[in-house]
Amino acid sequence: MDESFYGSGEPIADTKAPAGPIEERWSERKFAVKLVNPANKRKKTVIIVGTGLAGGSAGATLAELGYKVVQFCYQDSPRRAHSIAAQGGINAAKNYRNDGDSVHRLFYDTVKGGDFRSRESNVHRLAEISRQIIDQCVAQGVPFAREYGGLLDNRSFGGAQVSRTFYARGQTGQQLLLGAYQALMRQVDAGNVELHPRHEMLDLIMEDGRARGVVVRNLVTGEVRSHTADAVVLATGGYGNVYFLSTNAMGSNVTAAWRAHRRGALFANPCYTQIHPTCIPVSGDHQSKLTLMSESLRNDGRVWVPVKAGDDRRPADIPEDERDYYLERIYPAFGNLVPRDIASRAAKNVCDEGRGVGPGGLGVYLDFAGAIERLGRDAVAAKYGNLFEMYERITGENPYEQPMRIYPAVHYTMGGLWVDYDLESTVPGLFVIGEANFSDHGANRLGASALMQGLADGYFVLPQTIGDYLARNPVGAVPAETVTAAEAEVQERIERLLSIDGDRTVDSFHRELGAIMWEYCGMERTEEGLRKALELIPALREEFWRRVRVPGSGDDLNQSLEKAGRVADFFELAELMCVDALHRTESCGGHFRAESQDEDGEAARDDANFSYVGAWEWTGPGERPILHKEDLAFEYVTPSQRSYK
């Protein structure tokens, strides 16, 4: 490990998770927390930033408990949070299929799927709570698919040999978000939640070492204001848009989490990014985002490429014996349902061999001909119809009549702000939930687990643990000078961006940064490539601060200004991602170092040296970050070479 890019700090530990039998730890923690009595809850204010599945469910639940909630989102409505784009389903260990599922199996599959780089205590809690989530959402009226007899239906997802994924056609995220939204808006109507749409968090207010509020900018009027509270919750999603092209919504960004990182919150495992195998391939330089086709399609769709390199015949003209169903061939036990990281690398490998399909050879087929013949077109349409329609609208190709073309793309980020078992960051009073934290997935997230974690954190975990902090840490008013100083720093940064008056657009810088990240810190990383990126990124960042042009002013709606602030944060994050990837000289999950693979080309972990969470401390612009290690202990799942064969 080359430490010229970073310094080493003291180890870090999660001190909140109880010891003892793993199936009793969450119950023990809930009993041990100090409670806030109902009359005192009305005196406590909690700020929540974000209104997706994690933020929306947290806001609704905390308000229902009696706390005063002040909530922000940069969208014009909480309904537009990116959670709405999640399509395929939500995992839960209900075992409705009687196929051998259990809480322990979901726990095991998740730890294994994350390549043994997650905490056992957190993952087991997630598996336990998964069952409550389904009951909660059914009670809210979420229209999950049902079998003929009326029971909730399930389908399979990658990394599991049981059917545990509950779904609402290809709209699961949308339906779950609407359930959380309705619960949240009920509390808004009751006066328990003060909702501020079209506001972006630009800094964290600190007082006496604690998180006490946020500085936000009204994206319509440009007004910069502060809000203070007893605690702050970030539910602001992931940072995949650092790559420019990703499956994330255009507005998804890292700014809220990154500004908290600058105030002392450690950032954990930033190099763990998920490449999703079923994305519509890039069609040209005009694109500003990519479209994901749900992993649920891998239930009935078969992935293949031609056996011979350079075979450009129409798929219907390629006979069966000249097709390579490579996932079924290489991984017979799981076939097309291997985890995302494995399916993505396998697609890259066959395309690198010259057997890819479509423009540029960067694509593989996802074929439903067999499913349509077996089940009938109507049955396939009932399960996936809206996804097929979306694909046809984007590509002009009818997937009922010819295979879809897919290729891996950046999707989810497993890294995020470090939190303990209570979901509290290293900044006291700052809690981080959903994709914004690092806690539950390790080095790779199994499909249909994002919705599970977001709702578990918001509905069930945070409402229990934040009360312990509020009960133990009574606070007074935040001094006016502290608020004024935080606002002044935000205003100074805005004015600096506006004053550069350069000759390059924000998007041009973002696109160039994304190309560097995809090339050198994407699906495959090498020491040489990462070192190259760590030369290119600081140089491009310096050019950004000299040449970026942000037209308009800060006194009204200015989307160029919004993007400029976010891209400035992406530059700093990108550098940390490459440092983290360079220091971790092993392959695990979504982090694949070309120098660390076995004879079959599979990821080769180094448990002796890297069985830890890498939590990074900010030391200042252009300064070396400091690495703090949280050792991972495995009592119930023995780390082993992952095999899906």
Side-chain angles (χ1 to χ4, degrees):
M1 293 182 289
D2 184 346
E3 297 192 14
S4 61
F5 292 100
Y6 67 94
S8 297
E10 293 298 314
I12 190 171
D14 175 16
T15 59
K16 302 283 182 62
I22 197 166
E23 63 274 9
E24 298 175 8
R25 290 177 187 174
W26 177 226
S27 295
E28 282 193 31
R29 181 62 190 139
K30 286 189 291 184
F31 183 74
V33 298
K34 194 170 183 179
L35 301 178
V36 181
N37 82 53
N40 286 340
K41 285 176 182 173
R42 294 191 292 270
K43 304 172 186 176
K44 302 288 186 181
T45 301
V46 178
I47 286 173
I48 301 177
V49 185
T51 56
L53 282 182
S57 58
T61 308
L62 290 177
E64 188 80 48
L65 286 171
Y67 296 106
K68 179 183 178 183
V69 175
V70 182
Q71 196 148 2
F72 302 89
C73 66
Y74 64 73
Q75 300 91 347
D76 58 355
S77 165
R79 294 191 308 276
R80 293 187 182 273
H82 185 57
S83 301
I84 207 162
Q87 301 162 331
I90 178 171
N91 288 330
K94 284 285 196 179
N95 195 28
Y96 283 172
R97 289 290 185 93
N98 195 30
D99 56 1
D101 201 12
S102 64
V103 167
H104 189 80
R105 188 175 295 279
L106 175 53
F107 158 69
Y108 174 84
D109 286 345
T110 304
V111 174
K112 176 185 175 184
D115 220 352
F116 308 96
R117 290 292 176 263
S118 53
R119 293 180 185 145
E120 286 189 332
S121 293
N122 285 69
V123 175
H124 198 280
R125 175 174 67 185
L126 181 64
E128 292 175 54
I129 290 173
S130 70
R131 299 170 301 176
Q132 298 173 257
I133 295 171
I134 302 304
D135 296 339
Q136 167 90 6
C137 294
V138 169
Q140 289 176 331
V142 172
F144 286 119
R146 292 180 181 269
E147 296 178 325
Y148 179 75
L151 293 176
L152 297 181
D153 198 9
N154 294 112
R155 55 189 177 200
S156 301
F157 255 63
Q161 292 177 303
V162 296
S163 293
R164 63 161 68 101
T165 303
F166 295 77
Y167 65 98
R169 296 188 70 189
Q171 309 167 0
T172 314
Q174 176 179 342
Q175 298 302 331
L176 292 171
L177 182 64
L178 290 175
Y181 168 74
Q182 291 173 97
L184 178 65
M185 295 310 292
R186 175 174 176 268
Q187 295 301 321
V188 172
D189 185 65
N192 300 326
V193 175
E194 181 184 307
L195 182 64
H196 296 272
R198 301 297 285 142
H199 282 71
E200 182 170 31
M201 173 184 158
L202 295 181
D203 211 346
L204 181 69
I205 296 175
M206 300 284 294
E207 170 61 19
D208 195 26
R210 299 183 179 280
R212 292 299 314 278
V214 295
V215 182
V216 296
R217 180 174 181 267
N218 184 317
L219 298 180
V220 177
T221 68
E223 179 187 15
V224 173
R225 284 190 57 192
S226 295
H227 296 259
T228 60
D230 296 270
V232 177
V233 179
L234 298 187
T236 50
Y239 49 87
N241 274 354
V242 68
Y243 291 90
F244 187 72
L245 286 178
S246 83
T247 66
N248 288 195
M250 288 289 291
S252 298
N253 64 85
V254 77
T255 287
W258 193 256
R259 303 291 169 87
H261 174 55
R262 281 170 149 253
R263 294 293 184 186
L266 299 188
F267 207 107
N269 296 339
C271 76
Y272 289 165
T273 52
Q274 180 162 87
I275 313 297
H276 197 294
T278 55
C279 182
I280 297 178
V282 175
S283 59
D285 291 339
H286 63 283
Q287 281 185 272
S288 55
K289 80 172 299 294
L290 299 174
T291 303
L292 177 71
M293 300 309 297
S294 169
E295 183 176 315
S296 63
L297 295 170
R298 290 200 278 149
N299 272 282
D300 292 305
R302 299 179 70 192
V303 178
W304 65 275
V305 291
V307 169
K308 296 178 181 177
D311 189 340
D312 58 0
R313 288 178 291 175
R314 295 187 312 119
D317 295 335
I318 301 177
E320 280 290 315
D321 62 354
E322 296 182 38
R323 301 180 179 188
D324 181 11
Y325 294 91
Y326 58 90
L327 291 178
E328 299 172 34
R329 172 175 57 83
I330 302 171
Y331 307 102
F334 281 72
N336 296 299
L337 291 173
V338 293
R340 291 173 176 179
D341 59 322
I342 290 175
S344 294
R345 283 199 298 277
K348 179 182 185 298
N349 290 340
V350 296
C351 290
D352 288 348
E353 293 168 3
R355 297 194 288 142
V357 301
L362 293 179
V364 301
Y365 288 129
L366 182 60
D367 196 337
F368 285 86
I372 292 171
E373 182 179 345
R374 184 178 76 255
L375 303 172
R377 177 166 172 159
D378 290 347
V380 171
K383 295 170 75 173
Y384 310 115
N386 62 312
L387 299 173
F388 278 41
E389 180 183 348
M390 181 170 67
Y391 181 87
E392 185 172 8
R393 286 186 177 185
I394 291 171
T395 66
E397 301 170 1
N398 185 341
Y400 292 105
E401 298 174 359
Q402 63 187 88
M404 292 182 178
R405 288 178 296 106
I406 57 171
Y407 192 71
V410 173
H411 178 53
Y412 187 92
T413 51
M414 283 75 67
L417 293 182
W418 186 93
V419 292
D420 61 20
Y421 192 65
D422 284 0
L423 305 181
E424 187 175 12
S425 74
T426 50
V427 172
L430 177 66
F431 292 77
V432 190
I433 60 177
E435 191 180 357
N437 75 34
F438 88 101
S439 64
D440 289 0
H441 305 297
N444 174 63
R445 178 176 68 76
L446 293 184
S449 287
L451 306 185
M452 178 173 63
Q453 187 209 348
L455 292 182
D457 287 356
Y459 280 136
F460 298 105
V461 181
L462 180 76
Q464 298 285 340
T465 61
I466 198 171
D468 186 70
Y469 172 81
L470 294 170
R472 296 178 190 278
N473 297 279
V475 292
V478 179
E481 57 268 23
T482 300
V483 174
T484 302
E487 289 180 359
E489 285 191 44
V490 167
Q491 199 65 54
E492 181 183 356
R493 187 178 178 92
I494 290 171
E495 290 169 3
R496 183 184 176 194
L497 287 167
L498 291 167
S499 68
I500 297 169
D501 196 26
D503 59 356
R504 285 190 61 177
T505 65
V506 175
D507 279 349
S508 74
F509 280 105
H510 193 182
R511 187 181 292 273
E512 187 172 346
L513 173 64
I516 293 169
M517 291 299 291
W518 180 246
E519 177 68 22
Y520 301 116
C521 195
M523 239 190 298
E524 182 174 298
R525 295 100 186 257
T526 66
E527 179 177 354
E528 180 184 6
L530 291 165
R531 288 181 179 277
K532 180 69 172 175
L534 288 168
E535 294 174 4
L536 295 172
I537 294 169
L540 187 62
R541 183 180 70 237
E542 188 272 334
E543 184 180 348
F544 172 87
W545 286 104
R546 282 191 296 108
R547 294 184 57 190
V548 73
R549 176 171 174 76
V550 182
S553 75
D555 299 328
D556 53 16
L557 177 67
N558 188 339
Q559 291 185 313
S560 291
L561 177 60
E562 294 173 35
K563 290 192 286 187
R566 296 167 187 170
V567 172
D569 294 327
F570 278 141
F571 273 116
E572 295 175 351
L573 167 68
E575 194 167 353
L576 183 63
M577 290 172 66
C578 291
V579 170
D580 191 35
L582 180 63
H583 110 275
R584 191 172 282 274
T585 56
E586 65 161 354
S587 292
C588 56
H591 169 63
F592 187 78
R593 285 287 295 266
E595 304 92 341
S596 184
Q597 53 185 301
D598 63 20
E599 61 275 7
D600 295 325
E602 303 288 356
R605 291 194 326 273
D606 180 357
D607 292 336
N609 293 303
F610 290 100
S611 189
Y612 61 76
V613 175
W616 296 90
E617 178 185 349
W618 169 264
T619 57
E623 300 296 323
R624 295 190 312 160
I626 294 175
L627 173 64
H628 301 267
K629 300 177 182 179
E630 178 201 339
D631 288 332
L632 293 170
F634 294 93
E635 303 174 62
Y636 293 86
V637 180
T638 302
S640 59
Q641 181 66 26
R642 275 198 305 168
S643 175
Y644 293 92
K645 296 182 178 181

